[in-house]
């Protein structure tokens, strides 16, 4: 089973670090209609200032600067406005000193969050990609839970967004395999509303080259023989 294979796969040295780098998401050529506009990288406070002053941002000029390596909403600066001052400016400067670059994006109100998990084997034919599952996050984007419900999630996504998530997961799996990564992985995505009121998808928000909660929840659902399963973190 895939659960047995999970513990036998080993990534090449350094592969996990390269594949968990948030900058990889911007390097992969996902179709424009599945990509959040305004993604960029900055390497100084001056380039950060220029980004927030000259780029279209989220509602109320909301934006977020993320460190290349972090998880669960950590190591980032999230703010509204075209200026960066005070404690948040100091925090951004410290993050830049530690990581060299930050990943910038407009902060868009989420309509729904999704994840797609899989297992990368020794060749493309050995790779498994599971159907998407729904993620639950708080208002700041911190992970709170998962719902495994393959048919329900596909219905909620609709055919176009389901295709976006499945195709993106395949693209990510290929990229990780080429970089020497073997083992479990996940892709985070979200649906949002743009300034024109259109429903859009960011199919490649983050890559998690590790054992994700999505796989833990799916394994538990399979163990219990359930087609629907909710996994929530204690508050």
């Amino acid at each position: 089973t895939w659960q047995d294979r999970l513990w036998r796969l080993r990534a090449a040295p350094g592969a996990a670090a390269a594949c968990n780098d948030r900058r990889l998401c911007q390097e992969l050529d996902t179709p424009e209609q599945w990509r959040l506009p305004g993604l960029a990288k900055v390497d100084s406070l001056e380039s950060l200032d220029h980004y927030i002053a000259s780029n279209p941002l989220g509602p109320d000029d909301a934006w977020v600067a993320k460190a290349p390596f972090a998880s669960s909403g950590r190591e980032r600066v999230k703010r509204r406005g075209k200026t960066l001052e005070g404690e948040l400016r100091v925090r951004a400067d410290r993050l830049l000193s530690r990581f060299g670059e930050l990943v910038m994006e407009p902060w868009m109100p989420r309509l729904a969050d999704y994840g797609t998990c899989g297992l990368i084997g020794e060749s493309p034919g050995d790779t498994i990609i599971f159907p998407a599952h729904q993620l639950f996050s708080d208002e700041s984007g911190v992970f709170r839970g998962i719902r495994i419900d393959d048919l329900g999630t596909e219905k909620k996504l609709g055919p176009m967004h389901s295709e976006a998530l499945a195709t993106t997961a395949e693209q990510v799996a290929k990229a990780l395999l080429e970089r020497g990564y073997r083992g479990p992985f996940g892709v985070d995505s979200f649906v949002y509303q743009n300034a024109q009121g259109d429903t859009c998808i960011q199919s490649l928000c983050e890559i998690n080259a590790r054992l994700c909660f999505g796989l833990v929840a799916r394994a538990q659902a399979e163990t219990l023989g359930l087609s629907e399963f909710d996994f929530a973190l204690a508050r």
Side-chain angles (χ1 to χ4, degrees):
T1 66
W2 70 267
Q3 296 182 47
D4 296 327
R5 292 177 57 204
L6 176 66
W7 309 110
R8 296 197 298 266
L9 293 168
R10 296 290 183 272
C19 294
N20 280 297
D21 190 326
R22 283 194 170 108
R23 290 167 291 193
L24 177 58
C25 294
Q26 295 188 12
E27 295 172 12
L28 299 185
D29 189 23
T30 51
E32 185 176 347
Q33 67 268 28
W34 302 345
R35 183 191 295 261
L36 181 68
L39 300 177
K41 293 176 286 189
V42 298
D43 59 7
S44 66
L45 286 177
E46 290 75 19
S47 59
L48 193 159
D49 289 337
H50 181 267
Y51 173 89
I52 60 178
S54 59
N55 282 275
L57 304 174
D60 298 323
D61 290 330
W63 54 269
V64 61
K66 302 177 181 178
F69 300 99
S71 63
S72 300
R74 300 180 182 90
E75 309 293 4
R76 70 180 186 181
V77 173
K78 179 174 174 284
R79 181 176 170 78
R80 287 184 173 89
K82 290 284 189 177
T83 59
L84 180 61
E85 301 170 336
E87 292 183 6
L88 287 181
R89 189 171 187 85
V90 173
R91 177 169 173 76
D93 192 31
R94 288 173 177 167
L95 289 174
L96 283 165
S97 295
R98 286 176 59 194
F99 296 100
E101 285 187 326
L102 300 178
V103 176
M104 304 293 301
E105 63 183 62
W107 183 265
M108 306 301 294
R110 262 89 155 160
L111 301 178
D113 289 270
Y114 296 94
T116 310
C117 291
L119 190 67
I120 298 176
E122 296 299 334
S123 68
D126 293 332
T127 294
I128 300 171
I129 299 176
F130 294 105
H133 55 266
Q134 189 165 1
L135 296 170
F136 299 98
S137 305
D138 62 20
E139 291 183 357
S140 63
V142 176
F143 167 80
R144 293 300 180 190
I146 285 173
R147 179 168 177 75
I148 302 294
D149 178 10
D150 295 348
L151 294 178
T153 300
E154 183 178 8
K155 183 177 180 180
K156 185 172 182 177
L157 275 166
M160 293 179 63
H161 287 170
S162 292
E163 178 189 1
L165 298 197
T167 303
T168 299
E170 292 173 0
Q171 181 187 24
V172 169
K174 180 175 182 292
L176 300 193
L177 180 68
E178 290 173 349
R179 286 162 174 79
Y181 182 79
R182 306 291 183 269
F185 80 102
V187 179
D188 291 343
S189 314
F190 62 87
V191 176
Y192 66 97
Q193 191 173 58
N194 67 13
Q196 292 72 43
D198 301 320
T199 299
C200 306
I201 194 161
Q202 161 66 325
S203 68
L204 185 50
C205 176
E206 291 191 4
I207 297 170
N208 301 302
R210 56 178 173 79
L211 181 60
C212 307
F213 276 113
L215 285 174
V216 174
R218 184 168 293 277
Q220 185 68 11
E222 291 181 4
T223 299
L224 296 174
L226 300 175
S227 60
E228 300 177 21
F229 180 76
D230 290 326
F231 181 101
L233 292 183
R235 294 181 180 271

